[in-house]
Amino acid sequence: MALVDFSKVRQLFGEREETSDEAIFRELFVLVLARATDADAYSHPAEVSTVQRVIKERLGEEISSADVRTAALSKVYEMVPLHKCLAEASPRLSKEQRRAIVSGLVEVMHADERVSASEAEFFNMVVQTLGLTAADAAGLIVD
């Protein structure tokens, strides 16, 4: 599936092919949500199924549980840590896209009805690296 090859994210750190901001958003959305399933070193089945549902609802694409698990442990992280991917891509994303990533992340983190300290740390890193405020993270839309 195109969403889990992360070619657009890799291009941020290598090849310079023209990449649309929407394509980068879609790949980062999948990367962040999938990685969240492994943030506490245990991929709870409810988190994986929530990632599948959220991706279907927000991106209109099906993703298998195997692809979610593959994305969570993607070789992209060996090349560049997620926070560096987010920092590099964040200026190309609209505030709405960055909020959408965080909103989806919140859904995934609540899927197993508990949030561990490592998951909270992961969440804080994503919010900070995307350049969002606490209000943004809370879903408050300030005019």
Side-chain angles (χ1 to χ4, degrees):
M1 166 176 264
L3 284 177
V4 295
D5 73 0
F6 306 117
S7 61
K8 305 306 179 205
V9 170
R10 283 186 224 165
Q11 287 172 8
L12 291 171
F13 298 95
E15 315 131 32
R16 285 293 174 198
E17 178 183 313
E18 192 58 37
T19 301
S20 78
D21 295 346
E22 179 65 19
I24 290 171
F25 161 70
R26 294 170 70 81
E27 287 186 6
L28 283 176
F29 191 84
V30 173
L31 268 175
V32 170
L33 270 58
R35 190 65 173 167
T37 67
D38 199 49
D40 58 359
Y42 170 68
S43 293
H44 193 285
E47 291 174 334
V48 173
S49 64
T50 299
V51 169
Q52 291 176 284
R53 179 184 53 77
V54 171
I55 289 171
K56 176 68 175 163
E57 288 173 0
R58 310 257 177 106
L59 302 182
E61 295 206 31
E62 299 281 343
I63 185 169
S64 70
S65 60
D67 281 343
V68 171
R69 288 182 176 90
T70 298
L73 303 171
S74 175
K75 291 191 184 260
V76 161
Y77 307 118
E78 293 173 15
M79 187 175 86
V80 179
L82 181 59
H83 72 277
K84 287 189 178 185
C85 287
L86 292 171
E88 183 72 22
S90 185
R92 294 186 60 178
L93 303 178
S94 69
K95 193 165 198 174
E96 290 74 27
Q97 289 172 322
R98 290 179 284 138
R99 283 180 182 148
I101 291 170
V102 171
S103 173
L105 180 57
V106 168
E107 283 191 61
V108 171
M109 292 187 143
H110 283 295
D112 64 355
E113 300 180 2
R114 59 176 286 283
V115 177
S116 70
S118 58
E119 287 175 314
E121 186 177 319
F122 178 79
F123 176 82
N124 290 336
M125 177 278 294
V126 170
V127 170
Q128 181 180 14
T129 307
L130 288 175
L132 296 173
T133 65
D136 293 319
L140 303 173
I141 308 298
V142 181
D143 294 332

